[in-house]
Short mmCIF file of all heavy atoms in Angstrom, two decimals:
data_model
loop_
_atom_site.label_atom_id
_atom_site.label_comp_id
_atom_site.label_asym_id
_atom_site.label_seq_id
_atom_site.Cartn_x
_atom_site.Cartn_y
_atom_site.Cartn_z
N SER A 234 -38.88 116.74 141.99
CA SER A 234 -38.44 115.34 142.01
C SER A 234 -37.60 114.98 140.78
O SER A 234 -37.21 113.83 140.63
CB SER A 234 -39.66 114.41 142.07
OG SER A 234 -40.41 114.62 143.24
N LEU A 235 -37.36 115.97 139.92
CA LEU A 235 -36.62 115.73 138.68
C LEU A 235 -35.34 116.55 138.65
O LEU A 235 -35.32 117.69 139.12
CB LEU A 235 -37.48 116.13 137.47
CG LEU A 235 -38.65 115.22 137.11
CD1 LEU A 235 -39.61 115.95 136.17
CD2 LEU A 235 -38.14 113.93 136.45
N PRO A 236 -34.26 116.02 138.06
CA PRO A 236 -33.08 116.84 137.81
C PRO A 236 -33.37 117.80 136.67
O PRO A 236 -34.43 117.74 136.04
CB PRO A 236 -32.02 115.79 137.41
CG PRO A 236 -32.82 114.70 136.79
CD PRO A 236 -34.12 114.65 137.55
N GLU A 237 -32.43 118.68 136.37
CA GLU A 237 -32.67 119.71 135.37
C GLU A 237 -33.02 119.17 133.99
O GLU A 237 -33.76 119.80 133.24
CB GLU A 237 -31.46 120.64 135.27
CG GLU A 237 -31.38 121.63 136.43
CD GLU A 237 -30.38 122.74 136.17
OE1 GLU A 237 -29.54 122.57 135.27
OE2 GLU A 237 -30.46 123.78 136.84
N ASP A 238 -32.49 118.02 133.63
CA ASP A 238 -32.76 117.46 132.30
C ASP A 238 -33.80 116.33 132.35
O ASP A 238 -33.95 115.58 131.39
CB ASP A 238 -31.47 116.96 131.64
CG ASP A 238 -30.79 115.87 132.47
OD1 ASP A 238 -31.14 115.70 133.66
OD2 ASP A 238 -29.90 115.18 131.94
N GLY A 239 -34.51 116.22 133.48
CA GLY A 239 -35.48 115.14 133.63
C GLY A 239 -36.72 115.37 132.78
O GLY A 239 -37.02 116.50 132.35
N TYR A 240 -37.44 114.29 132.52
CA TYR A 240 -38.61 114.33 131.63
C TYR A 240 -39.90 114.11 132.42
O TYR A 240 -39.95 113.31 133.36
CB TYR A 240 -38.50 113.24 130.57
CG TYR A 240 -37.47 113.51 129.51
CD1 TYR A 240 -36.21 112.92 129.57
CD2 TYR A 240 -37.74 114.35 128.42
CE1 TYR A 240 -35.25 113.14 128.58
CE2 TYR A 240 -36.80 114.58 127.43
CZ TYR A 240 -35.56 113.98 127.51
OH TYR A 240 -34.62 114.21 126.54
N LEU A 241 -40.95 114.78 131.96
CA LEU A 241 -42.31 114.58 132.46
C LEU A 241 -43.18 114.15 131.30
O LEU A 241 -43.18 114.78 130.24
CB LEU A 241 -42.87 115.88 133.06
CG LEU A 241 -44.36 115.90 133.39
CD1 LEU A 241 -44.68 114.94 134.53
CD2 LEU A 241 -44.81 117.32 133.74
N VAL A 242 -43.95 113.08 131.50
CA VAL A 242 -44.86 112.58 130.47
C VAL A 242 -46.29 112.73 130.96
O VAL A 242 -46.66 112.17 132.00
CB VAL A 242 -44.57 111.10 130.13
CG1 VAL A 242 -45.46 110.65 128.96
CG2 VAL A 242 -43.10 110.90 129.78
N LEU A 243 -47.09 113.50 130.23
CA LEU A 243 -48.49 113.69 130.54
C LEU A 243 -49.36 113.02 129.49
O LEU A 243 -48.86 112.56 128.46
CB LEU A 243 -48.83 115.19 130.60
CG LEU A 243 -48.12 116.03 131.67
CD1 LEU A 243 -48.56 117.49 131.58
CD2 LEU A 243 -48.38 115.48 133.07
N GLY A 244 -50.66 112.98 129.75
CA GLY A 244 -51.59 112.43 128.78
C GLY A 244 -51.73 113.34 127.57
O GLY A 244 -51.36 114.52 127.61
N ALA A 245 -52.28 112.79 126.51
CA ALA A 245 -52.38 113.53 125.25
C ALA A 245 -53.18 114.81 125.39
O ALA A 245 -52.93 115.80 124.68
CB ALA A 245 -53.00 112.64 124.17
N ALA A 246 -54.15 114.83 126.29
CA ALA A 246 -55.01 116.00 126.46
C ALA A 246 -54.54 116.92 127.58
O ALA A 246 -55.23 117.88 127.92
CB ALA A 246 -56.45 115.56 126.72
N GLU A 247 -53.39 116.63 128.16
CA GLU A 247 -52.90 117.39 129.30
C GLU A 247 -51.74 118.30 128.91
O GLU A 247 -51.02 118.02 127.96
CB GLU A 247 -52.46 116.44 130.42
CG GLU A 247 -53.60 115.59 130.97
CD GLU A 247 -53.13 114.54 131.94
OE1 GLU A 247 -52.15 113.82 131.63
OE2 GLU A 247 -53.74 114.41 133.01
N THR A 248 -51.55 119.37 129.66
CA THR A 248 -50.49 120.32 129.37
C THR A 248 -50.01 120.96 130.66
O THR A 248 -50.69 120.89 131.69
CB THR A 248 -50.97 121.41 128.40
OG1 THR A 248 -49.88 122.29 128.09
CG2 THR A 248 -52.10 122.22 129.01
N VAL A 249 -48.83 121.59 130.60
CA VAL A 249 -48.33 122.36 131.73
C VAL A 249 -48.60 123.85 131.54
O VAL A 249 -48.36 124.65 132.46
CB VAL A 249 -46.80 122.14 131.92
CG1 VAL A 249 -46.50 120.69 132.17
CG2 VAL A 249 -46.02 122.67 130.71
N VAL A 250 -49.09 124.22 130.37
CA VAL A 250 -49.30 125.64 130.05
C VAL A 250 -50.29 126.27 131.02
O VAL A 250 -51.38 125.75 131.24
CB VAL A 250 -49.80 125.79 128.60
CG1 VAL A 250 -50.12 127.26 128.30
CG2 VAL A 250 -48.78 125.26 127.61
N GLY A 251 -49.88 127.38 131.59
CA GLY A 251 -50.73 128.08 132.54
C GLY A 251 -50.72 127.50 133.93
O GLY A 251 -51.40 128.01 134.82
N LEU A 252 -49.94 126.42 134.14
CA LEU A 252 -49.92 125.74 135.43
C LEU A 252 -48.57 125.83 136.12
O LEU A 252 -48.49 125.90 137.34
CB LEU A 252 -50.29 124.26 135.25
CG LEU A 252 -51.70 123.99 134.73
CD1 LEU A 252 -51.85 122.50 134.39
CD2 LEU A 252 -52.74 124.40 135.76
N THR A 253 -47.49 125.81 135.36
CA THR A 253 -46.14 125.87 135.92
C THR A 253 -45.17 126.35 134.85
O THR A 253 -45.39 126.11 133.67
CB THR A 253 -45.70 124.49 136.45
OG1 THR A 253 -44.33 124.58 136.93
CG2 THR A 253 -45.73 123.43 135.37
N GLU A 254 -44.12 127.01 135.31
CA GLU A 254 -43.05 127.46 134.41
C GLU A 254 -41.82 126.55 134.52
O GLU A 254 -40.77 126.86 133.98
CB GLU A 254 -42.64 128.90 134.77
CG GLU A 254 -43.73 129.94 134.52
CD GLU A 254 -44.01 130.13 133.04
OE1 GLU A 254 -43.09 129.98 132.22
OE2 GLU A 254 -45.18 130.43 132.69
N ALA A 255 -41.97 125.43 135.21
CA ALA A 255 -40.81 124.56 135.47
C ALA A 255 -40.44 123.67 134.28
O ALA A 255 -39.34 123.13 134.25
CB ALA A 255 -41.09 123.68 136.69
N PHE A 256 -41.36 123.53 133.31
CA PHE A 256 -41.12 122.61 132.20
C PHE A 256 -41.24 123.32 130.85
O PHE A 256 -41.94 124.32 130.73
CB PHE A 256 -42.15 121.47 132.23
CG PHE A 256 -42.06 120.60 133.45
CD1 PHE A 256 -42.91 120.82 134.54
CD2 PHE A 256 -41.15 119.56 133.52
CE1 PHE A 256 -42.84 120.03 135.66
CE2 PHE A 256 -41.07 118.76 134.65
CZ PHE A 256 -41.92 118.99 135.72
N LYS A 257 -40.57 122.74 129.88
CA LYS A 257 -40.70 123.20 128.50
C LYS A 257 -41.15 122.00 127.66
O LYS A 257 -40.72 120.86 127.90
CB LYS A 257 -39.37 123.73 127.96
CG LYS A 257 -38.24 122.69 127.98
CD LYS A 257 -36.93 123.25 127.48
CE LYS A 257 -35.82 122.17 127.55
NZ LYS A 257 -34.54 122.68 127.07
N PRO A 258 -42.01 122.21 126.66
CA PRO A 258 -42.41 121.09 125.80
C PRO A 258 -41.24 120.64 124.93
O PRO A 258 -40.41 121.45 124.51
CB PRO A 258 -43.53 121.70 124.95
CG PRO A 258 -43.31 123.17 124.98
CD PRO A 258 -42.67 123.48 126.30
N VAL A 259 -41.15 119.35 124.70
CA VAL A 259 -40.15 118.82 123.77
C VAL A 259 -40.75 118.94 122.37
O VAL A 259 -41.81 118.39 122.10
CB VAL A 259 -39.80 117.36 124.11
CG1 VAL A 259 -38.81 116.80 123.08
CG2 VAL A 259 -39.22 117.27 125.52
N GLN A 260 -40.06 119.65 121.52
CA GLN A 260 -40.60 119.99 120.21
C GLN A 260 -40.99 118.75 119.40
O GLN A 260 -40.21 117.82 119.25
CB GLN A 260 -39.59 120.82 119.41
CG GLN A 260 -40.14 121.40 118.12
CD GLN A 260 -39.16 122.35 117.45
OE1 GLN A 260 -38.03 122.50 117.90
NE2 GLN A 260 -39.59 123.00 116.38
N GLY A 261 -42.22 118.77 118.92
CA GLY A 261 -42.69 117.68 118.06
C GLY A 261 -43.07 116.42 118.79
O GLY A 261 -43.40 115.42 118.15
N LYS A 262 -43.06 116.45 120.13
CA LYS A 262 -43.35 115.24 120.92
C LYS A 262 -44.56 115.51 121.82
O LYS A 262 -44.44 116.13 122.88
CB LYS A 262 -42.14 114.83 121.77
CG LYS A 262 -40.87 114.58 120.96
CD LYS A 262 -41.01 113.39 120.03
CE LYS A 262 -39.74 113.15 119.25
NZ LYS A 262 -39.88 112.01 118.32
N ARG A 263 -45.70 115.06 121.38
CA ARG A 263 -46.94 115.31 122.11
C ARG A 263 -46.92 114.70 123.52
O ARG A 263 -46.59 113.54 123.69
CB ARG A 263 -48.11 114.74 121.31
CG ARG A 263 -49.48 114.92 121.93
CD ARG A 263 -50.58 114.56 120.93
NE ARG A 263 -50.38 113.27 120.33
CZ ARG A 263 -50.88 112.13 120.82
NH1 ARG A 263 -51.61 112.16 121.92
NH2 ARG A 263 -50.67 110.98 120.21
N GLY A 264 -47.25 115.51 124.51
CA GLY A 264 -47.33 115.03 125.88
C GLY A 264 -46.00 114.89 126.59
O GLY A 264 -45.97 114.43 127.73
N LEU A 265 -44.91 115.31 125.94
CA LEU A 265 -43.57 115.15 126.54
C LEU A 265 -42.99 116.52 126.89
O LEU A 265 -42.97 117.44 126.06
CB LEU A 265 -42.64 114.42 125.57
CG LEU A 265 -41.21 114.16 126.07
CD1 LEU A 265 -41.22 113.31 127.34
CD2 LEU A 265 -40.38 113.46 124.98
N PHE A 266 -42.52 116.64 128.13
CA PHE A 266 -41.96 117.89 128.63
C PHE A 266 -40.63 117.59 129.32
O PHE A 266 -40.43 116.52 129.89
CB PHE A 266 -42.93 118.55 129.61
CG PHE A 266 -44.29 118.80 129.02
CD1 PHE A 266 -45.27 117.80 129.06
CD2 PHE A 266 -44.60 120.00 128.42
CE1 PHE A 266 -46.53 118.01 128.51
CE2 PHE A 266 -45.86 120.22 127.87
CZ PHE A 266 -46.81 119.23 127.91
N GLN A 267 -39.75 118.58 129.27
CA GLN A 267 -38.47 118.45 129.95
C GLN A 267 -38.31 119.58 130.95
O GLN A 267 -38.72 120.71 130.69
CB GLN A 267 -37.31 118.48 128.95
CG GLN A 267 -35.98 118.04 129.55
CD GLN A 267 -34.93 117.76 128.48
OE1 GLN A 267 -34.94 118.35 127.41
NE2 GLN A 267 -34.02 116.84 128.77
N LYS A 268 -37.75 119.26 132.10
CA LYS A 268 -37.56 120.29 133.11
C LYS A 268 -36.57 121.33 132.60
O LYS A 268 -35.55 121.00 132.01
CB LYS A 268 -37.06 119.67 134.41
CG LYS A 268 -36.98 120.68 135.56
CD LYS A 268 -36.59 120.01 136.86
CE LYS A 268 -36.41 121.02 137.97
NZ LYS A 268 -36.02 120.38 139.24
N LYS A 269 -36.89 122.58 132.84
CA LYS A 269 -36.01 123.66 132.43
C LYS A 269 -34.75 123.68 133.30
O LYS A 269 -34.79 123.33 134.48
CB LYS A 269 -36.72 125.01 132.54
CG LYS A 269 -37.85 125.22 131.56
CD LYS A 269 -38.48 126.58 131.77
CE LYS A 269 -39.63 126.84 130.80
NZ LYS A 269 -40.27 128.15 131.06
N THR A 270 -33.66 124.13 132.70
CA THR A 270 -32.46 124.37 133.50
C THR A 270 -32.66 125.63 134.31
O THR A 270 -33.57 126.42 134.07
CB THR A 270 -31.23 124.52 132.59
OG1 THR A 270 -31.41 125.71 131.79
CG2 THR A 270 -31.06 123.32 131.67
N ALA A 271 -31.77 125.84 135.28
CA ALA A 271 -31.87 127.05 136.10
C ALA A 271 -31.77 128.29 135.23
O ALA A 271 -32.48 129.28 135.45
CB ALA A 271 -30.78 127.04 137.17
N ALA A 272 -30.90 128.26 134.22
CA ALA A 272 -30.72 129.41 133.33
C ALA A 272 -31.99 129.68 132.52
O ALA A 272 -32.41 130.82 132.35
CB ALA A 272 -29.54 129.18 132.39
N GLN A 273 -32.62 128.59 132.04
CA GLN A 273 -33.86 128.75 131.27
C GLN A 273 -34.98 129.29 132.13
O GLN A 273 -35.77 130.13 131.70
CB GLN A 273 -34.26 127.42 130.65
CG GLN A 273 -33.36 126.95 129.53
CD GLN A 273 -33.63 125.51 129.13
OE1 GLN A 273 -34.07 124.70 129.95
NE2 GLN A 273 -33.35 125.19 127.89
N SER A 274 -35.06 128.81 133.38
CA SER A 274 -36.09 129.29 134.28
C SER A 274 -35.90 130.77 134.60
O SER A 274 -36.84 131.55 134.66
CB SER A 274 -36.08 128.48 135.58
OG SER A 274 -36.41 127.13 135.32
N ALA A 275 -34.63 131.18 134.78
CA ALA A 275 -34.33 132.58 135.07
C ALA A 275 -34.68 133.46 133.88
O ALA A 275 -35.25 134.53 134.03
CB ALA A 275 -32.86 132.74 135.44
N THR A 276 -34.36 132.97 132.69
CA THR A 276 -34.69 133.72 131.48
C THR A 276 -36.19 133.88 131.33
O THR A 276 -36.71 134.95 131.01
CB THR A 276 -34.12 133.02 130.23
OG1 THR A 276 -32.71 132.93 130.35
CG2 THR A 276 -34.46 133.80 128.96
N GLY A 277 -36.92 132.77 131.59
CA GLY A 277 -38.37 132.81 131.49
C GLY A 277 -38.98 133.78 132.48
O GLY A 277 -39.89 134.53 132.18
#
Side-chain angles (χ1 to χ4, degrees):
S234 298
L235 288 164
E237 284 193 342
D238 60 345
Y240 287 99
L241 169 67
V242 185
L243 297 180
E247 297 173 312
T248 183
V249 300
V250 176
L252 297 171
T253 177
E254 294 292 328
F256 297 97
K257 59 181 179 180
V259 177
Q260 189 173 6
K262 303 295 181 181
R263 180 169 52 91
L265 181 59
F266 304 87
Q267 193 166 30
K268 186 175 176 180
K269 291 180 180 178
T270 64
Q273 289 169 331
S274 296
T276 300

